[in-house]
Amino acid sequence: MKKQIAGAALIGATLATTLMSTPAAQAAETGPRIGVLAGGTLSVKEGNLYAPWVNQMGGIAKFEIDGNRIGVLTTGGDVMVKEGDLYAQWTTQLGGAKDFHLAGNRIGVLRNDGSLAVKDGTLWAGWTEQTGGVKDFDITSNRIGVVFNNGEATVKEGDLYAGWVNQMGGADNIELAGSRIGVLRSDKGLVVKDGTLYESWTEQTGNVKDFELTSNRIGVVFTNGEATVKEGNLYAGWVNQMGGIKDVELSGNRLGLLRDNGSFAVKEGDLYAAWTEQASGASAADLSTPAVTTGGGVTLQDLRNIYGTIGDAATVEQGLESLNAEMVRGGITTPARKAAFLATLRNESGFRYNALEGTGHTYQGRGLMQLTTEGNYRGAGNHLGVDLVGNPELARSLQYSAPIARWYWTVARSDSNNAADHYDMGLISRYVGYLASSAEDAERCNDFKSALRYFNGGSLPVPDSQITCYRH
């Protein structure tokens, strides 16, 4: 196999005057959500950037959106959560609260007395007390991070009864995203680690007043109001966005900025995309990308949510119907299998069914899996009943590219699904057979983790230490 990496209209108005769409129409909509709080009233839209707003509730001090859940903190100190469509009923969680967070099936509530309680499961699950003396916290589906009143930051990983692992002192705020932990220190310096709880910190920048993490993006707002975002690893370069900002929001391939004047703008795509105005008069905003269900097909939006910009998007989208059919046929339907398969295709072909790479020889890399060598062309052709040896260009046709990728995964390298089940990306990389490179092993493994977090609802299903990245 051969590696190849692919590469505004103002619609908002003051939300107090927003009209709701009909429940029947709204219930049919799917996709990412945007929420804004204006004048104490929460409104949420679902779908594209031009979708209509749906009023939720008044008397709100804070809100948060995660997947198909929406949570609010009322001005009276009650945390309430709804699950399902935008017209679902609210369920009261706890009173006496000053903060809360949602992540997957978890709800965390920080009470006025500084005690933290977290539940995991349905909206009616029982609470598990965590610790006291907390001034800031965050949660993911398998991590809980807190900053104590004395500035000590600590994180636990696993179930709600796991032990705490100290991270650092001098902390003001903590944020978690997948395997990333970000801490804003009292000196306004931002540090982030990616991996286990024992990884080293990487300095990001100083003079920060607000920041946000995802698995592949970091956004900051400086004390002077300038906003900047990086995409990729922790050493990626910053891309300036705009000034006059008080809050940055990230989710999937969406980036939102809440300005000091209360206007909220969102862009979708790469970091250089155009802005679309959403609302004015807002005091808070949030973005959320619902997780994909285990058995669902992969969409172009899924790929963008996981990896950001997708090169030659029209070609990629054209090939997805066939790719999804072959993934089902090959049993590539669990989060781990889908993540390993997509990480491989991203690095082989950029998800382009017609990808071509090589030096012009007859059996150069073709298709989604970059099929090479006469033996592989013969094996795939015999399996599919087509003469690929005599007609090698068929390997990058819409008809055969995805079936060949499935053949390679489930027949030529028949243990691939099992390796994915054991989170062994290193073994899959050996099966693919590119030129030995620890750097590329790590790159593909990071792509695997990004997709695994996405399909698993925002966090890794196992500790990072249980994922094998390097060939063996």
Side-chain angles (χ1 to χ4, degrees):
M1 298 300 104
K2 187 71 175 176
K3 176 190 176 191
Q4 180 170 343
I5 301 178
L10 178 65
I11 64 168
T14 302
L15 292 178
T17 61
T18 302
L19 297 177
M20 290 196 294
S21 58
T22 65
Q26 183 65 26
E29 294 181 359
T30 61
R33 289 175 171 179
I34 302 173
V36 293
L37 183 63
T41 296
L42 172 63
S43 295
V44 178
K45 63 166 60 176
E46 183 176 71
N48 63 39
L49 298 182
Y50 304 92
W53 294 100
V54 177
N55 290 337
Q56 299 294 310
M57 181 189 293
I60 304 304
K62 179 198 167 174
F63 80 98
E64 196 167 289
I65 309 174
D66 185 80
N68 70 338
R69 285 183 172 181
I70 303 173
V72 298
L73 174 63
T74 70
T75 53
D78 291 327
V79 173
M80 304 177 71
V81 179
K82 65 162 59 176
E83 184 174 60
D85 65 31
L86 298 182
Y87 299 89
Q89 298 298 307
W90 295 97
T91 301
T92 301
Q93 299 294 313
L94 277 181
K98 64 178 178 180
D99 198 7
F100 78 97
H101 288 298
L102 309 177
N105 290 326
R106 288 184 171 180
I107 304 172
V109 172
L110 179 59
R111 301 185 184 94
N112 290 322
D113 64 5
S115 61
L116 174 64
V118 179
K119 64 166 58 178
D120 195 346
T122 71
L123 299 184
W124 295 272
W127 295 95
T128 301
E129 297 296 327
Q130 296 297 312
T131 188
V134 176
K135 71 172 181 179
D136 186 58
F137 82 102
D138 198 13
I139 59 176
T140 68
S141 295
N142 74 331
R143 284 180 174 179
I144 303 172
V146 302
V147 177
F148 294 109
N149 292 327
N150 65 2
E152 292 291 326
T154 186
V155 179
K156 65 166 58 178
E157 183 174 70
D159 64 31
L160 300 182
Y161 302 93
W164 297 98
V165 178
N166 290 336
Q167 299 295 313
M168 65 163 57
D172 268 354
N173 303 102
I174 190 167
E175 186 161 322
L176 311 176
S179 62
R180 288 183 171 182
I181 305 171
V183 170
L184 180 59
R185 298 188 302 249
S186 56
D187 65 2
K188 301 303 180 186
L190 175 64
V191 293
V192 179
K193 63 169 60 176
D194 195 348
T196 72
L197 301 184
Y198 303 92
E199 299 291 338
S200 299
W201 295 98
T202 301
E203 295 285 338
Q204 295 297 311
T205 188
N207 297 316
V208 175
K209 71 174 181 179
D210 180 65
F211 78 102
E212 176 96 339
L213 297 180
T214 67
S215 295
N216 72 331
R217 284 181 174 181
I218 304 173
V220 302
V221 179
F222 295 110
T223 52
N224 67 0
E226 293 290 327
T228 187
V229 180
K230 65 167 56 177
E231 182 175 70
N233 63 37
L234 300 184
Y235 303 93
W238 296 98
V239 178
N240 291 334
Q241 299 297 317
M242 68 169 70
I245 304 302
K246 68 176 180 179
D247 185 40
V248 58
E249 296 293 334
L250 305 173
S251 183
N253 72 332
R254 285 184 170 181
L255 162 61
L257 293 178
L258 179 61
R259 302 184 183 93
D260 291 329
N261 65 9
S263 60
F264 184 55
V266 176
K267 63 169 58 176
E268 186 172 59
D270 63 34
L271 298 182
Y272 301 92
W275 295 100
T276 300
E277 298 294 332
Q278 296 295 311
S280 61
S283 58
D286 195 19
L287 306 175
S288 178
T289 304
V292 176
T293 57
T294 299
V298 176
T299 67
L300 180 63
Q301 187 61 54
D302 293 333
L303 298 178
R304 286 170 169 162
N305 290 342
I306 299 167
Y307 298 119
T309 302
I310 300 298
D312 198 1
T315 298
V316 172
E317 190 167 35
Q318 184 181 17
L320 284 178
E321 181 178 357
S322 176
L323 180 61
N324 280 317
E326 293 301 321
M327 289 173 69
V328 172
R329 188 170 290 117
I332 311 169
T333 54
T334 68
R337 293 179 181 185
K338 290 163 72 173
F341 189 63
L342 293 178
T344 299
L345 297 188
R346 185 190 189 212
N347 286 271
E348 290 296 316
S349 62
F351 309 113
R352 294 174 297 120
Y353 71 86
N354 62 355
L356 176 67
E357 183 180 345
T359 57
H361 57 84
T362 302
Y363 303 111
Q364 67 193 81
R366 290 184 175 90
L368 285 160
M369 193 60 83
Q370 286 294 279
L371 191 70
T372 57
T373 79
E374 183 177 348
N376 279 328
Y377 274 76
R378 179 172 289 106
N382 289 343
H383 180 78
L384 298 173
V386 60
D387 181 13
L388 293 179
V389 172
N391 302 277
E393 275 293 286
L394 291 177
R396 67 188 194 106
S397 68
L398 185 59
Q399 181 177 2
Y400 290 110
S401 186
I404 289 170
R406 188 263 306 161
W407 166 82
Y408 193 86
W409 192 264
T410 62
V411 180
R413 301 294 184 268
S414 59
D415 196 46
S416 296
N417 276 337
N418 183 57
D421 291 343
H422 289 85
Y423 309 108
D424 194 344
M425 196 64 195
L427 185 56
I428 289 170
S429 292
R430 178 160 68 84
Y431 289 160
V432 174
Y434 52 83
L435 187 65
S437 166
S438 59
E440 185 166 344
D441 288 352
E443 179 181 333
R444 291 183 183 228
C445 196
N446 285 334
D447 286 344
F448 168 66
K449 292 175 185 177
S450 294
L452 183 57
R453 292 186 193 101
Y454 180 76
F455 293 124
N456 192 57
S459 65
L460 295 175
V462 295
D464 191 89
S465 60
Q466 293 183 21
I467 296 175
T468 303
C469 286
Y470 298 97
R471 278 180 284 188
H472 55 91

